[in-house]
Amino acid sequence: MQTGEEEARALEQALGEAVVWHGAGAAFDIERWKGTDAAVHVIGGEGTADEGDGSVAAMLAARLDAARLEVWGALPGLCTADPDLVPSARLLRHLGYADALALAVAGVSDLAPAALSTARAARLPIRFRSTARPEAEGTTVSHAAPDVGVGVLALIMQPETTLVTVAAPEHAPSARFLAEVFAAFARHGLAATLSVQAGAHIALVCDAGAYGEVAGALLADLGALGEVVVRDGCATVRLVGRRLDAGLPDVAAAVDVLDGHPVHLVGRSDGGLAVVVDAGQAERVTRELHAALFGAVSEGAVFGPTLGDVMGRSEQVPGRGVWWRERRGDLLALAERGTPRYAYDAATMRSAARTLLALEPVDRVLYALKANPHPGVLRVLRDAGVAFECVSLAEVERVFDLFPDHAPERVLFTPNFAPRAEYERAFALGVTVTVDNAFVLDAWPDVFAGRTAFVRVDPGEGRGHHAHVRTAGTRSKFGVGGDGVEAVAARAADLGLRVVGLHAHLGSGITDTATWAETADALAGYLPLFPDVRVLDLGGGLGVPTLPTEPVFDVAAAAEPLAAFKAAHPGLALWLEPGRFLVAEAGVLLARVTQLKEKAGVRFVGVDAGMNALVRPTLYGAYHEIVNLSRLDAEPAWTAEVVGPICESGDVLGHARRLPVTAEGDVVLVATAGAYGRAMASTYNLRPLPEEVVLERVDY
């Protein structure tokens, strides 16, 4: 196996040009390359250049008077947003050094500002390229970049920030007050990424993690200077661009997006504009801002195609098929029976169930019925061997209506703020009931006396893709907080309530594979309070990719630490209760194009399914892949807003989507819609609920 140095030398020989490999910058024979008019290539140790490599390469290229500096990374170049957050992010084709420096300072570029400054002084062109797609169009930075005036070039979201506001006492000297506030931050090594001052008030934004490390001491210092207000749970969205200090021509579009979102602070940051919003709204705000600012921008010298088009993201991850491509003909025929309509693939559900049921450390898999309670879906999963988790009495009764012989112990009832009658009926049916708070034990002791039950514990921190799906933490309405568990245990003992299981669920769309083992460890800490516990229910929330090229959740990686936990606690059974993981990818929403419109450069494709049929994009800012099923193999030609027929401005299924030329009557498919789609649909505007069908096929 070649070392990095050996690979660098082999690549040099193949290219006939100098290559800087991670950590190898000092190994070059400058005389070998001087005067050759070659390029200098900088490639990081894992395919992405780091700041040190870039600085070495820029200095080397400048000294060699090289033709250009090439920076190789995972992406082909600089983009208008993080493509993992905004799949419609656009490639930036050609920038000047000042533009590239602004983006580098903001954290967009892998190349350090110092390297860009070196290149600028040497008038050294820079080209960003992709190690994954060497042939792909990239970004060029040079003195010959086109000047298109003032404008936003990119959006950057900083997901976890804290807003600290300090108000000076009346008549305090403002200059001295401001200096002392900044000095307090400096003493504690805390940098403000944004500050806005008005009179005797100053608001500062900082990284939430860094703030948490020094919060106590910092607040003590600031409290001596004035009144302090701290707002946690924020995120910062930054607009970075060309000469934004001269004005923001797209300010009207930005204001329209921000209208309706709680905005806590707006200010200038590093020559751009920064907006502080609730963390739960930041991803949605970023996507909507991107659609407003870049959705109608034509391709040209600066703005290129979407990154998906550049990287060929229509290709699938190896080993992962998309069932609806195989069944395109069946789905088009199904759409002829009427739209909007949901279709669910039974084989995909069975495959997901098999994946989880095969996990050795997991003793039971329960399906979270709320994700999709369609009878056909429940039959497929029950036949596959999955148990059920229900959050309402109606869900419990649906299970027994469909399966009268279903074993009651294979139903877990986890209500939240449900009325007394639901608990009474659940106990009468013989299902396992979960206690979510002390109130039910204190208010209805006769319902719980002498019973067996689970207790839902809040480990203190929620996780997931959006604030609305994080079901733990101090602001969450779910579970018994850590400071209340001991009281619940004591009250249960008084009532003779035998607690046989502990339950926790952190949220939905979690991709950190260590989460469930960490939850098990947290629950195990309460075992001394509940001597009869034999089951730990670790919840669900296993992440589901939204794009075909996103990696599939690594179930085996999540199982490995669970196996270690199980070995250390051999008397405990571990349960999982996924919803989306089992059904999301199995479902699609079929809709038909009704109208086409273009207004002020923005193209709209209207379909007969809107937020009434699929509310997740409106509610969570969720991303669902959207394709024109009638023209599935046609090349993308339009960038369009895909909208529904509902009388609400938020009735958007997808912003700035790349579609082929589309016509009235075409069938549009919305992917990954099997979970929380039809289950959350409504008859708003008196539009009927979408029909549903389960499709059978041969399992592969």
Side-chain angles (χ1 to χ4, degrees):
M1 181 176 179
Q2 288 183 315
T3 65
E5 179 69 17
E6 290 169 339
E7 289 188 61
R9 302 292 77 77
L11 190 56
E12 278 187 348
Q13 185 173 1
L15 293 172
E17 297 180 326
V19 174
V20 176
W21 194 267
H22 180 72
F28 288 98
D29 180 358
I30 291 177
E31 295 303 320
R32 176 184 176 188
W33 298 107
K34 196 165 185 178
T36 63
D37 197 34
V40 174
H41 300 254
V42 52
I43 306 175
E46 299 194 4
T48 299
D50 70 14
E51 292 189 3
D53 299 329
S55 296
V56 168
M59 289 186 288
L60 176 65
R63 185 167 178 183
L64 292 176
D65 194 21
R68 66 191 179 280
L69 173 65
E70 295 207 347
V71 181
W72 293 75
L75 299 178
L78 308 181
C79 305
T80 54
D82 179 353
D84 290 333
L85 174 63
V86 183
S88 57
R90 307 276 293 274
L91 177 73
L92 293 167
R93 278 178 162 149
H94 199 173
L95 300 175
Y97 295 105
D99 298 332
L101 272 168
L103 294 173
V105 169
V108 172
S109 170
D110 287 327
L111 203 57
L116 282 162
S117 296
T118 298
R120 182 180 191 176
R123 296 176 68 84
L124 172 70
I126 304 172
R127 186 181 175 198
F128 292 84
R129 301 180 67 181
S130 168
T131 53
R133 286 295 181 91
E135 75 284 1
E137 177 183 6
T139 300
T140 298
V141 177
S142 78
H143 68 280
D147 184 355
V148 294
V150 176
V152 179
L153 291 173
L155 298 175
I156 305 167
M157 188 192 79
Q158 185 179 357
E160 297 180 355
T161 57
T162 296
L163 174 61
V164 181
T165 303
V166 188
E170 191 175 357
H171 306 306
S174 60
R176 180 177 176 182
F177 163 71
L178 295 175
E180 289 177 338
V181 169
F182 282 110
F185 269 71
R187 275 196 303 276
H188 298 288
L190 189 61
T193 56
L194 172 68
S195 63
V196 176
Q197 184 257 334
H201 292 70
I202 184 169
L204 302 102
V205 179
C206 51
D207 176 78
Y211 168 80
E213 295 176 1
V214 299
L218 175 66
L219 292 180
D221 286 357
L222 295 178
L225 301 176
E227 182 181 353
V228 182
V229 177
V230 176
R231 181 180 289 275
D232 295 313
C234 295
T236 303
V237 181
R238 298 171 65 184
L239 287 70
V240 182
R242 178 183 293 110
R243 299 197 301 274
L244 293 187
D245 53 351
L248 181 59
D250 302 308
V251 67
V255 169
D256 284 345
V257 168
L258 295 173
D259 184 28
H261 295 287
V263 175
H264 305 302
L265 189 69
V266 178
R268 294 203 174 276
S269 174
D270 295 326
L273 185 71
V275 180
V276 180
V277 298
D278 286 338
Q281 296 294 314
E283 292 186 5
R284 180 176 171 185
V285 167
T286 304
R287 290 192 184 106
E288 292 183 358
L289 275 173
H290 190 275
L293 296 172
F294 302 108
V297 174
S298 301
E299 288 190 30
V302 174
F303 295 100
T306 68
L307 201 66
D309 290 341
V310 175
M311 297 294 284
R313 293 206 175 185
S314 60
E315 296 183 4
Q316 307 302 309
V317 171
R320 175 171 168 238
V322 176
W323 68 269
W324 47 264
R325 289 184 177 273
E326 302 169 14
R327 302 205 63 174
R328 174 175 176 256
D330 294 336
L331 292 170
L332 288 172
L334 189 62
E336 291 301 316
R337 292 163 50 186
T339 55
R341 185 180 296 267
Y342 279 97
Y344 311 119
D345 183 57
T348 299
M349 289 185 276
R350 280 191 285 266
S351 175
R354 284 195 297 266
T355 297
L356 296 184
L357 290 167
L359 296 178
E360 189 171 340
V362 176
D363 298 276
R364 181 172 296 181
V365 176
L366 304 94
Y367 169 58
L369 212 73
K370 62 182 179 290
N372 187 332
H374 185 267
V377 169
L378 301 187
R379 289 189 183 96
V380 169
L381 294 176
R382 181 178 186 262
D383 291 346
V386 174
F388 296 112
E389 184 260 342
C390 305
V391 297
S392 71
L393 181 61
E395 289 186 354
V396 173
E397 290 178 334
R398 170 158 292 192
V399 170
F400 290 114
D401 287 345
L402 290 172
F403 317 115
D405 61 342
H406 192 79
E409 64 270 16
R410 288 182 61 80
V411 176
L412 177 66
F413 181 45
T414 57
N416 178 248
F417 292 98
R420 172 181 175 133
E422 293 199 13
Y423 292 90
E424 292 175 330
R425 177 62 176 156
F427 277 124
L429 289 171
V431 304
T432 302
V433 175
T434 302
V435 173
D436 183 73
N437 61 77
F439 177 91
V440 297
L441 303 183
D442 293 332
W444 312 322
D446 55 311
V447 175
F448 293 89
R451 302 282 193 178
T452 60
F454 280 26
V455 169
R456 179 166 180 169
V457 176
D458 180 351
E461 179 187 7
R463 299 186 187 180
H465 64 83
H466 190 277
H468 293 174
V469 300
R470 295 171 195 148
T471 50
T474 56
R475 299 184 181 183
S476 169
K477 72 188 185 91
F478 299 96
V480 182
D483 56 352
V485 177
E486 188 171 347
V488 168
R491 185 60 174 145
D494 291 342
L495 295 174
L497 175 67
R498 186 166 169 260
V499 178
V500 296
L502 295 179
H503 173 282
H505 177 59
L506 303 190
S508 178
I510 302 170
T511 57
D512 182 352
T513 56
T515 296
W516 293 270
E518 292 171 358
T519 301
D521 285 331
L523 291 179
Y526 296 107
L527 291 176
L529 298 174
F530 301 99
D532 295 319
V533 166
R534 296 294 177 265
V535 176
L536 299 184
D537 184 334
L538 309 179
L542 290 78
V544 175
T546 54
L547 286 170
T549 49
E550 288 181 355
V552 177
F553 181 80
D554 193 341
V555 175
E560 187 174 340
L562 287 178
F565 177 89
K566 194 77 172 291
H569 302 82
L572 292 175
L574 299 181
W575 293 4
L576 292 179
E577 51 175 61
R580 290 192 72 227
F581 186 87
L582 291 172
V583 296
E585 292 182 295
V588 298
L589 173 62
L590 302 175
R592 195 172 292 278
V593 176
T594 56
Q595 296 185 33
L596 305 168
K597 178 192 291 186
E598 188 166 341
K599 184 172 65 173
V602 178
R603 190 186 302 274
F604 295 90
V605 172
V607 298
D608 59 4
M611 59 186 284
N612 61 315
L614 180 65
V615 76
R616 295 186 74 250
T618 302
L619 183 62
Y620 304 135
Y623 183 92
H624 290 261
E625 185 178 10
I626 300 175
V627 300
N628 186 326
L629 194 65
S630 298
R631 308 168 193 265
L632 191 57
D633 297 324
E635 289 295 321
W638 290 356
T639 298
E641 302 287 286
V642 181
V643 300
I646 300 303
C647 190
E648 296 285 345
S649 59
D651 185 32
V652 181
L653 294 178
H655 290 290
R657 299 308 179 87
R658 293 289 289 165
L659 296 172
V661 173
T662 297
E664 177 190 356
D666 285 356
V667 176
V668 166
L669 179 146
V670 182
T672 323
Y676 304 102
R678 175 60 159 74
M680 296 177 71
S682 74
T683 58
Y684 186 44
N685 289 179
L686 294 183
R687 294 194 177 275
L689 293 170
E691 297 292 331
E692 299 174 277
V693 63
V694 174
L695 302 176
E696 280 291 351
R697 67 183 171 112
V698 177
D699 290 3
Y700 296 101

